[in-house]
């Protein structure tokens, strides 16, 4: 199980030194990408050169163009929305293969639905994970559903590797570990804490099979 830490505000860059040697993946969140562009990716790469970067582009069109931008800037991963067209999947997948990068298909637009990915979906080889994602705004509005945690088993049963995100922190860690996602995405529970490095280390120390869950670990 891998720990991905999501940075969504400019001030979160200040905690990067504390995440070196702890976070397996650093996520440049969508708000930061919109504010600073691909320079945010380059900055994280400079501050944490040994940690892979995920660009949370939530791409829905213009796939090849966006993929070239973020992978050229040093990202190892990017996200594509599950509602995007097959043409976009193929366009992003081709660029990712060229760079030796990986893609995560994000099901946030399907959150709460019985089926997160249509049964006939065809994903390129470079699409390495399905993101099961509880929307931030829904949680801030009072939605306490754990359906995204419950959905991990169904994704595994379909043969997908899973990146799990949304409201994850010390309080939900046991429930999350029980469903065994390959990637555990933690944002504000780390970035908004009084001691981000300590909280990140506390979570990382409790993850089973640390350092496993990478695309190349697939049997």
């Amino acid at each position: 199980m891998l720990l991905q830490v999501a940075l969504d505000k400019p001030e979160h860059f200040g905690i990067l030194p504390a995440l070196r040697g702890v976070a397996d993946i650093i996520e440049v969140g969508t708000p930061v990408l919109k504010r600073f562009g691909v320079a945010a990716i380059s900055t994280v790469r400079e501050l944490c050169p040994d940690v892979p970067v995920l660009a949370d582009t939530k791409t829905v069109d213009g796939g090849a163009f966006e993929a070239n931008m973020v992978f050229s800037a040093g990202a190892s991963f990017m996200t594509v929305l599950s509602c995007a067209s097959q043409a976009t999947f193929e366009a992003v997948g081709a660029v990712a293969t060229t760079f030796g990068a990986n893609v995560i298909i994000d099901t946030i637009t399907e959150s709460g639905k019985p089926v997160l990915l249509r049964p006939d979906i065809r994903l390129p080889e470079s699409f390495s994970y399905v993101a099961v994602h509880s929307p931030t705004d829904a949680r801030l509005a009072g939605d306490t559903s754990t359906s995204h945690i419950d959905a991990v088993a169904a994704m595994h049963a379909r043969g997908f590797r899973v990146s799990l995100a949304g409201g994850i922190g010390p309080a939900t860690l046991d429930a999350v570990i029980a469903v065994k996602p390959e990637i555990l995405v933690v944002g504000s529970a780390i970035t908004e804490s009084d001691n981000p490095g300590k909280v990140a280390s506390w979570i990382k120390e409790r993850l089973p099979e640390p350092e496993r869950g990478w695309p190349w670990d697939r049997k």
Side-chain angles (χ1 to χ4, degrees), residues 1-4 25 27 54 77 79 103-108 116 128-134 148 152 155-156 160-166 168 176 180-186 213:
M1 196 176 295
L2 304 173
L3 175 60
Q4 177 176 314
I25 301 169
E27 173 188 329
L54 179 143
F77 301 88
T79 59
V103 182
I104 297 175
I105 184 165
D106 193 334
T107 63
I108 191 169
L116 296 181
S128 301
Y129 305 89
V130 171
V132 179
H133 196 164
S134 173
H148 60 309
V152 173
M155 288 293 102
H156 280 160
F160 296 117
R161 300 166 76 80
V162 176
S163 170
L164 181 62
I168 296 173
V176 169
K180 301 180 180 179
E182 279 69 29
I183 300 176
L184 173 69
V185 184
V186 184

Side-chain angles (χ1 to χ4, degrees), residues 10 17 22 25 31 42-44 58 69 82 85 93 97 102 123 142 150 154 184 194 211 213:
V22 181
I25 301 169
S42 303
T43 299
V44 175
K58 293 186 175 70
M69 282 197 301
S82 58
S85 68
T97 297
N102 289 273
L123 300 178
D150 301 333
L184 173 69
D194 292 335
E211 309 303 329

Side-chain angles (χ1 to χ4, degrees), residues 35-51:
R35 183 164 184 175
F36 298 113
V38 295
I41 300 170
S42 303
T43 299
V44 175
R45 293 288 295 127
E46 290 172 5
L47 295 174
C48 292
D50 301 325
V51 185

